[in-house]
Amino acid sequence: MKKTKRKEQGRAQETKNRDVALLLVSVGFLLGGIFGGLAAGKLPAETYIQQFLQTAAQETMKPSLWRELWVVFRWPGAVIVLSLLPWVGLTIPLLFFLRAFLLSYGIVSLTVGTGLSGILCAGLLFGPTCLLTVPVLFVLGTEGLLRKAEETGSRRQTVFRAALCLLALCLCVFLDQVLVPPVLTWFLKALAAGT
Protein backbone atom coordinates (compact mmCIF):
# COMPACT_ATOMS: atom_id res chain seq x y z
CA MET A 1 0.00 0.00 0.00
CA LYS A 2 2.76 2.43 0.97
CA LYS A 3 4.81 1.54 -2.12
CA THR A 4 1.83 2.22 -4.38
CA LYS A 5 1.22 5.55 -2.68
CA ARG A 6 4.89 6.50 -3.06
CA LYS A 7 4.85 5.60 -6.75
CA GLU A 8 1.75 7.73 -7.30
CA GLN A 9 3.36 10.64 -5.45
CA GLY A 10 6.53 10.18 -7.51
CA ARG A 11 4.55 10.24 -10.75
CA ALA A 12 2.62 13.30 -9.62
CA GLN A 13 5.89 15.07 -8.81
CA GLU A 14 7.38 14.11 -12.20
CA THR A 15 4.28 15.45 -13.96
CA LYS A 16 4.46 18.67 -11.97
CA ASN A 17 8.17 19.12 -12.76
CA ARG A 18 7.53 18.48 -16.47
CA ASP A 19 4.67 21.01 -16.50
CA VAL A 20 6.83 23.65 -14.80
CA ALA A 21 9.71 23.03 -17.24
CA LEU A 22 7.37 23.24 -20.22
CA LEU A 23 5.85 26.44 -18.83
CA LEU A 24 9.28 28.05 -18.44
CA VAL A 25 10.35 27.34 -22.02
CA SER A 26 6.91 28.27 -23.38
CA VAL A 27 6.89 31.64 -21.63
CA GLY A 28 10.41 32.34 -22.88
CA PHE A 29 9.39 31.42 -26.44
CA LEU A 30 6.16 33.43 -26.30
CA LEU A 31 7.86 36.57 -24.97
CA GLY A 32 10.60 36.25 -27.57
CA GLY A 33 8.02 35.97 -30.35
CA ILE A 34 6.16 39.05 -29.12
CA PHE A 35 9.28 41.17 -28.78
CA GLY A 36 10.60 39.95 -32.15
CA GLY A 37 7.39 41.02 -33.86
CA LEU A 38 7.54 44.41 -32.16
CA ALA A 39 11.19 44.85 -33.12
CA ALA A 40 10.40 44.09 -36.76
CA GLY A 41 8.03 47.06 -36.76
CA LYS A 42 10.70 49.35 -35.30
CA LEU A 43 13.71 48.06 -37.27
CA PRO A 44 12.49 47.38 -40.80
CA ALA A 45 14.59 45.20 -43.10
CA GLU A 46 12.69 45.82 -46.34
CA THR A 47 15.74 46.61 -48.48
CA TYR A 48 17.49 43.38 -47.50
CA ILE A 49 14.34 41.37 -48.10
CA GLN A 50 13.76 42.91 -51.53
CA GLN A 51 17.38 42.14 -52.51
CA PHE A 52 17.00 38.56 -51.29
CA LEU A 53 13.75 38.05 -53.18
CA GLN A 54 15.19 39.49 -56.40
CA THR A 55 18.27 37.28 -56.17
CA ALA A 56 16.20 34.19 -55.30
CA ALA A 57 13.85 34.82 -58.25
CA GLN A 58 16.77 34.85 -60.69
CA GLU A 59 18.56 31.70 -59.56
CA THR A 60 18.01 28.62 -57.45
CA MET A 61 19.43 29.31 -54.04
CA LYS A 62 20.59 26.09 -52.45
CA PRO A 63 22.55 26.45 -49.22
CA SER A 64 25.58 24.24 -48.72
CA LEU A 65 25.10 21.11 -46.65
CA TRP A 66 27.42 22.40 -43.91
CA ARG A 67 25.53 25.65 -43.62
CA GLU A 68 22.23 23.79 -43.47
CA LEU A 69 23.54 21.46 -40.77
CA TRP A 70 24.62 24.51 -38.78
CA VAL A 71 21.24 26.23 -39.22
CA VAL A 72 19.27 23.16 -38.14
CA PHE A 73 21.48 21.79 -35.36
CA ARG A 74 22.74 24.99 -33.67
CA TRP A 75 19.71 25.64 -31.46
CA PRO A 76 19.19 22.03 -30.30
CA GLY A 77 22.95 21.77 -29.77
CA ALA A 78 22.93 24.93 -27.67
CA VAL A 79 20.09 23.52 -25.54
CA ILE A 80 22.05 20.31 -24.94
CA VAL A 81 25.20 22.24 -23.94
CA LEU A 82 23.26 24.61 -21.68
CA SER A 83 21.50 21.69 -19.99
CA LEU A 84 24.89 20.46 -18.82
CA LEU A 85 25.90 23.79 -17.28
CA PRO A 86 24.73 25.54 -14.12
CA TRP A 87 21.88 28.10 -14.15
CA VAL A 88 19.77 25.94 -16.47
CA GLY A 89 16.55 27.49 -15.17
CA LEU A 90 17.69 30.85 -16.54
CA THR A 91 19.80 30.02 -19.60
CA ILE A 92 17.43 27.62 -21.37
CA PRO A 93 14.37 29.94 -21.18
CA LEU A 94 16.64 32.79 -22.31
CA LEU A 95 17.75 30.70 -25.30
CA PHE A 96 14.09 30.04 -26.14
CA PHE A 97 13.44 33.79 -25.92
CA LEU A 98 16.30 34.48 -28.34
CA ARG A 99 15.21 31.76 -30.79
CA ALA A 100 11.63 33.02 -30.88
CA PHE A 101 12.79 36.64 -31.12
CA LEU A 102 14.92 35.98 -34.20
CA LEU A 103 12.32 33.74 -35.80
CA SER A 104 9.51 36.22 -35.23
CA TYR A 105 11.63 39.11 -36.45
CA GLY A 106 12.42 37.27 -39.69
CA ILE A 107 8.85 36.20 -40.36
CA VAL A 108 7.27 39.57 -39.55
CA SER A 109 9.91 41.46 -41.56
CA LEU A 110 9.28 39.24 -44.55
CA THR A 111 5.51 39.55 -44.38
CA VAL A 112 5.43 43.30 -43.69
CA GLY A 113 7.76 44.02 -46.59
CA THR A 114 5.91 41.97 -49.17
CA GLY A 115 2.29 41.46 -48.03
CA LEU A 116 0.39 38.24 -48.78
CA SER A 117 3.13 36.88 -50.99
CA GLY A 118 5.51 37.40 -48.07
CA ILE A 119 3.36 35.17 -45.89
CA LEU A 120 3.60 32.38 -48.47
CA CYS A 121 7.31 33.01 -48.92
CA ALA A 122 7.86 32.92 -45.14
CA GLY A 123 5.95 29.64 -45.03
CA LEU A 124 8.29 28.19 -47.64
CA LEU A 125 11.45 29.58 -46.06
CA PHE A 126 10.70 28.88 -42.43
CA GLY A 127 8.01 26.21 -42.67
CA PRO A 128 9.91 22.91 -42.72
CA THR A 129 12.50 24.20 -40.30
CA CYS A 130 9.94 25.52 -37.83
CA LEU A 131 7.58 22.56 -38.08
CA LEU A 132 10.40 20.16 -37.24
CA THR A 133 13.01 22.00 -35.20
CA VAL A 134 10.80 24.00 -32.83
CA PRO A 135 9.08 20.89 -31.37
CA VAL A 136 12.52 19.26 -31.06
CA LEU A 137 13.72 22.36 -29.26
CA PHE A 138 10.82 22.11 -26.81
CA VAL A 139 11.50 18.41 -26.14
CA LEU A 140 15.20 19.02 -25.55
CA GLY A 141 14.60 22.17 -23.49
CA THR A 142 12.11 20.42 -21.23
CA GLU A 143 14.43 17.44 -20.84
CA GLY A 144 17.34 19.79 -20.09
CA LEU A 145 15.43 21.54 -17.34
CA LEU A 146 14.22 18.22 -15.92
CA ARG A 147 17.72 16.76 -15.94
CA LYS A 148 18.65 19.13 -13.14
CA ALA A 149 15.35 18.74 -11.29
CA GLU A 150 15.29 14.93 -11.37
CA GLU A 151 18.45 12.93 -11.37
CA THR A 152 16.42 9.76 -11.71
CA GLY A 153 14.76 8.86 -14.93
CA SER A 154 14.51 6.23 -17.57
CA ARG A 155 17.54 6.20 -19.81
CA ARG A 156 15.51 4.23 -22.34
CA GLN A 157 12.98 7.09 -22.67
CA THR A 158 15.77 9.66 -22.93
CA VAL A 159 17.53 7.70 -25.69
CA PHE A 160 14.24 7.17 -27.52
CA ARG A 161 13.41 10.91 -27.40
CA ALA A 162 16.93 11.81 -28.52
CA ALA A 163 16.67 9.39 -31.47
CA LEU A 164 13.32 10.88 -32.53
CA CYS A 165 14.77 14.38 -32.27
CA LEU A 166 17.79 13.43 -34.38
CA LEU A 167 15.52 11.83 -36.99
CA ALA A 168 13.36 14.98 -37.17
CA LEU A 169 16.43 17.22 -37.53
CA CYS A 170 17.87 15.05 -40.31
CA LEU A 171 14.50 15.15 -42.10
CA CYS A 172 14.57 18.93 -41.80
CA VAL A 173 18.02 19.10 -43.40
CA PHE A 174 16.82 16.82 -46.20
CA LEU A 175 13.74 18.95 -46.89
CA ASP A 176 15.72 22.19 -46.82
CA GLN A 177 18.29 20.76 -49.21
CA VAL A 178 16.03 18.94 -51.67
CA LEU A 179 12.50 20.33 -51.55
CA VAL A 180 12.58 23.98 -50.44
CA PRO A 181 15.05 25.52 -52.98
CA PRO A 182 13.23 24.47 -56.18
CA VAL A 183 9.77 25.20 -54.76
CA LEU A 184 10.90 28.61 -53.48
CA THR A 185 12.53 29.45 -56.83
CA TRP A 186 9.39 28.41 -58.72
CA PHE A 187 7.20 30.47 -56.37
CA LEU A 188 9.36 33.60 -56.65
CA LYS A 189 9.60 33.32 -60.46
CA ALA A 190 5.81 32.97 -60.65
CA LEU A 191 5.49 35.95 -58.32
CA ALA A 192 7.90 38.04 -60.42
CA ALA A 193 6.06 37.11 -63.62
CA GLY A 194 2.74 38.13 -62.09
CA THR A 195 3.91 41.64 -61.16
Side-chain angles (χ1 to χ4, degrees), residues 69-154:
L69 288 171
W70 167 250
V71 167
V72 170
F73 282 91
R74 65 183 168 188
W75 295 104
V79 168
I80 291 169
V81 169
L82 289 176
S83 69
L84 301 173
L85 300 174
W87 300 94
V88 182
L90 179 65
T91 57
I92 288 181
L94 191 59
L95 182 80
F96 272 74
F97 175 88
L98 183 63
R99 174 63 174 134
F101 179 88
L102 295 173
L103 186 61
S104 176
Y105 180 83
I107 291 171
V108 171
S109 294
L110 192 59
T111 57
V112 166
T114 55
L116 179 62
S117 60
I119 294 171
L120 296 172
C121 188
L124 287 171
L125 282 173
F126 299 114
T129 303
C130 292
L131 288 175
L132 296 171
T133 61
V134 171
V136 166
L137 201 62
F138 272 86
V139 169
L140 293 175
T142 304
E143 286 291 320
L145 287 172
L146 288 175
R147 192 169 298 133
K148 293 296 181 181
E150 310 169 345
E151 290 302 323
T152 62
S154 171

Side-chain angles (χ1 to χ4, degrees), residues 60-65 68 124 128 170-186:
T60 301
M61 298 178 70
K62 183 177 178 184
S64 71
L65 178 62
E68 192 61 40
L124 287 171
C170 290
L171 178 61
C172 180
V173 170
F174 173 77
L175 290 174
D176 281 348
Q177 284 287 300
V178 175
L179 185 67
V180 172
V183 172
L184 181 64
T185 302
W186 171 82

